[in-house]
Amino acid sequence: MPDNTDKIILDELINNSRITMKQLGEKVHLTGPAASSRVAKLEESGIIEGYTIKINQGKLGCYIYAFITIYTLNINHQPYLSFMETQKEFVLQHYKITGDGCFLLECRFPSNEVLDLFLQGLNKYANYKISTVINKLM
């Protein structure tokens, strides 16, 4: 179980996964090698699964940010899943959910026209409810 220092290390890595071990150690009052050892233990235990980057989708030309709740048309989801395999360029996250709907998509599109084409294709396999993001608050 991670202790308080491990939790601070995780917070620091979430904010900046490129931080040097020396800088990380200074933030948690450890030496660089001690911080590196802590990170290695977090990796070995599976708490840290990997490192990633944040991408500014708007600067890549994807201005439409949408959450789409999927209601599949039948219990065989494979046609829908096969369609989704062809749409990976627009999908940031794809979740199987309980409650309202079968799947939840987090998507980015460069324009309303591209979103409309995506929805036309999607509608062959599922019904949907779409919510577009106006502003990110946190």
Side-chain angles (χ1 to χ4, degrees):
M1 186 61 78
D3 64 14
N4 193 48
T5 300
D6 289 334
K7 290 176 184 176
I8 296 169
I9 287 172
L10 292 171
D11 286 340
E12 291 298 330
L13 290 172
I14 287 168
N15 290 327
N16 179 8
S17 62
R18 295 186 66 189
I19 191 170
T20 68
M21 290 300 114
K22 180 181 179 196
Q23 292 170 324
L24 181 59
E26 289 171 0
K27 289 183 180 268
V28 295
H29 310 291
L30 296 172
T31 64
S36 181
S37 176
R38 290 274 192 138
V39 170
K41 286 179 185 172
L42 291 167
E43 291 169 342
E44 290 165 10
S45 68
I47 293 172
I48 295 177
E49 295 180 339
Y51 298 87
T52 188
I53 60 172
K54 287 192 230 177
I55 297 174
N56 184 322
Q57 295 289 331
K59 289 188 178 184
L60 289 176
C62 292
Y63 305 106
I64 310 298
Y65 190 20
F67 288 90
I68 305 171
T69 304
I70 304 298
Y71 305 88
T72 54
L73 300 176
N74 60 54
I75 60 171
N76 179 11
H77 296 166
Q78 195 52 52
Y80 160 76
L81 294 172
S82 295
F83 169 74
M84 290 308 302
E85 281 294 317
T86 69
Q87 303 299 308
K88 288 183 176 181
E89 67 183 293
F90 305 117
V91 180
L92 302 174
Q93 298 292 330
H94 186 192
Y95 302 101
K96 185 172 185 176
I97 60 171
T98 62
D100 189 32
C102 303
F103 298 92
L104 179 65
L105 304 175
E106 181 180 357
C107 301
R108 286 286 199 156
F109 300 94
S111 66
N112 281 324
E113 292 78 17
V114 174
L115 168 59
D116 187 46
L117 288 172
F118 173 86
L119 295 174
Q120 287 175 35
L122 174 63
N123 210 217
K124 295 174 186 171
Y125 307 99
N127 292 320
Y128 59 86
K129 178 177 72 176
I130 185 168
S131 299
T132 56
V133 175
I134 295 170
N135 193 10
K136 183 177 177 181
L137 301 176
M138 293 178 65

